[in-house]
Amino acid sequence: MTEAAEPARRTRGPYRKSEERRREIVAAALEVFSTSGFRAGSLKDIGLRIGIDPSTILHHFGSKEALLRAVLDDKDAQDTQSLPDVDRLDPALIPRGLIELAERNDRRPGLISLYAVLSAESTTAEHPGRDYFRERTARTRRDFGIAFRRMHEAGLLAPGVEPEDAATSTFALWDGIQIHWLIDPGAVSVTETLRQHLRRITAVADL
Amino acid sequence: MTEAAEPARRTRGPYRKSEERRREIVAAALEVFSTSGFRAGSLKDIGLRIGIDPSTILHHFGSKEALLRAVLDDKDAQDTQSLPDVDRLDPALIPRGLIELAERNDRRPGLISLYAVLSAESTTAEHPGRDYFRERTARTRRDFGIAFRRMHEAGLLAPGVEPEDAATSTFALWDGIQIHWLIDPGAVSVTETLRQHLRRITAVADL
């Protein structure tokens, strides 16, 4: 072992520790923001979950807004609606892929709640998530558009269904039924409502 | 004029004044709750709009929760999604009635925002609007169900469309597209998205 390795290891230690602490804070913030929203979810509540002071959170993130941003960036990796390979996937498999995504989302209500609550809240005055949700909504609608245009070209949309309208309506129905599911989980099924919609607008059998 | 009229008029005066003040507070609270949500919308903000102290609001309503309830009860008269005579209206006119309601809602974004923001917020922990929105959502879905069952009996649904699914999907799509419209008003049309959906699920020409 050379002497030069020593400082590197010393650097890696605290860095890793700080990264772990950040991840811990982001996980706690996700829970608090998805159950209380951004405005009512306090740094104190977040700190209490992992036994740290709000000032420690600010030390790591600078502000509550920056923490929100970190939570959202972290979650983008597990996006709740975009298909991963919308421009390469076999068009015939797209509807099935969307239904599987909805089934997966059924098992992570916390994440669905985070997006549903924060995106509605973001439409209110001076919300720090406003631009983020406007961009995310545009991006998701664009991805749905790509998916349904590819289905259209492959002759896989139902007669008379335009790809743009398929994209706008599927995205809207999905977000709406998720809200209704959060309001009363026993009253509706997100997956079944999406499945029936896709049966109507596509020509893909076996959904 | 009899002497008996005198006390009645004296009573009517202050009563009327108190009613006017309550109406003024409810109107200001509607604006604040629909732009900031319930939790972030403060009694101070509401008071500032009409030049009164938060304590005056509490004198009239007792609590912020009771004020929210008064705002929601007041708005139920101008409901944003229920058709007025769902069990008497000519079934052939139901889709047109829904589209007209959406057109009317386009001109009252404040009211749409109130319901969209508060209903999403109501799914978060210990929100005072939770029961209200669960009941309202169930009632609206039931009314849609009545409407589409009557259309079904009259042979006015598209082949293969079940009334229950027509109700669930129309309600979800409508709430979803309203949220997307609030997030980015220029990106989508609530009325057109609803119209295309109704064209797909009904057999009513001329929508």
Side-chain angles (χ1 to χ4, degrees), chain A residues 33-37 39-40 113 116-117 119-125 130 133-135 137-138 141 160-161 165-166 168-177 179-185 187-189 192-193 196-197 200-201, chain B residues 33-37 39-40 113 116-117 119-125 130 133-135 137-138 141 160-161 165-166 168-177 179-185 187-189 192-193 196-197 200-201:
Chain A
F33 290 157
S34 51
T35 49
S36 301
R39 283 188 165 126
S113 187
V117 172
S119 69
E121 198 185 57
S122 81
T123 69
T124 62
R130 197 177 187 95
F133 280 105
R134 191 181 289 136
E135 280 158 32
T137 302
R141 193 181 301 109
V161 173
D165 182 58
T168 303
S169 65
T170 303
F171 185 22
L173 175 136
W174 198 341
D175 268 1
I177 196 69
I179 286 272
H180 293 171
W181 174 62
L182 291 170
I183 288 173
D184 193 351
V188 290
S189 160
E192 284 313 305
T193 307
Q196 293 301 333
H197 173 73
R200 282 192 298 269
I201 67 168
Chain B
F33 290 156
S34 52
T35 49
S36 300
R39 283 188 164 126
S113 187
V117 173
S119 70
E121 198 186 57
S122 81
T123 69
T124 63
R130 197 177 187 94
F133 280 104
R134 192 181 289 135
E135 280 159 31
T137 303
R141 194 180 301 109
V161 172
D165 182 57
T168 303
S169 65
T170 302
F171 183 24
L173 175 136
W174 199 340
D175 268 1
I177 196 69
I179 287 272
H180 293 172
W181 174 63
L182 291 170
I183 288 173
D184 192 350
V188 290
S189 160
E192 284 314 305
T193 307
Q196 293 301 334
H197 174 73
R200 281 193 298 270
I201 67 168

